[in-house]
Amino acid sequence: MAKRDYLGSFELIVMLALMRLREDAYGVPISREIEETVGREVALASVYATLERLESKGLVSSELGEPTSERGGRAKRYFHVTAKGLREVRQTRQALVKLWKRGNAAGTSGKRARNGGRRQGLRHGGFRARVPEHLGDTARGAKPWAQRRQRH
């Protein structure tokens, strides 16, 4: 099997933010877009580290804009998704959709878990996320998972 580097979740989020912002894609708006869309804080340094990693993979390219007085004469570095990057995003989307559909089908198949016939997990968009038996559900009075012994 050929080695393949898949996009990580944060890499995919950054790529999608780049695609949405188009020409205005530099560090601050990218992190702001992620924070507004995903709903969690993002360190600007992690955005830049991810952009550099994506650029080294050839998935994004960058160019320096004109120096601005508001930045003390420094230029902004604008990022763009490359054709290779767009292919990777599409392939990642296809893989995730395929996995999601398989997971959705497995979650609604009617099979019971090995935990006394109870179904565990949360519903999210029709997908049933299974909780491993040894983690249990502390909301129902079960011991925290760290106090349990794993059964193999």
Side-chain angles (χ1 to χ4, degrees), residues 5-22:
D5 292 325
Y6 290 98
L7 287 176
S9 61
F10 193 66
E11 290 176 329
L12 180 60
I13 289 170
V14 169
M15 295 279 289
L16 293 171
L18 274 172
M19 292 167 62
R20 184 172 168 87
L21 291 169
R22 299 181 186 190

Side-chain angles (χ1 to χ4, degrees), residues 14-152:
V14 169
M15 295 279 289
L16 293 171
L18 274 172
M19 292 167 62
R20 184 172 168 87
L21 291 169
R22 299 181 186 190
E23 278 78 41
D24 295 330
Y26 65 96
V28 174
I30 293 169
S31 65
R32 198 175 299 135
E33 177 69 24
I34 293 169
E35 288 176 0
E36 291 172 5
T37 305
V38 178
R40 65 178 191 201
E41 283 188 40
V42 176
L44 192 56
S46 65
V47 171
Y48 277 114
T50 302
L51 288 167
E52 288 177 14
R53 187 170 55 251
L54 292 169
E55 191 169 22
S56 71
K57 293 179 180 181
L59 304 178
V60 301
S61 62
S62 67
E63 62 185 58
L64 286 177
E66 295 297 319
T68 60
S69 58
E70 65 190 25
R71 295 175 44 92
R74 294 188 346 247
K76 295 176 184 174
R77 189 171 177 189
Y78 292 94
F79 293 88
H80 309 280
V81 177
T82 64
K84 180 181 176 184
L86 187 56
R87 276 193 309 275
E88 283 295 316
V89 168
R90 287 181 178 154
Q91 288 173 354
T92 301
R93 180 188 180 279
Q94 288 172 348
L96 290 173
V97 167
K98 187 183 284 187
L99 285 169
W100 191 264
K101 285 181 180 179
R102 287 185 180 180
N104 192 14
T108 59
S109 66
K111 293 183 179 177
R112 299 281 181 181
R114 294 185 316 176
N115 57 0
R118 285 191 334 262
R119 287 182 186 239
Q120 291 182 331
L122 303 173
R123 283 215 173 264
H124 180 71
F127 183 85
R128 179 175 286 278
R130 301 268 183 214
V131 177
E133 183 179 350
H134 68 277
L135 295 179
D137 186 357
T138 56
R140 286 187 258 156
K143 293 180 184 176
W145 69 271
Q147 295 176 2
R148 293 181 175 201
R149 291 185 180 188
Q150 293 185 5
R151 288 174 263 184
H152 294 281

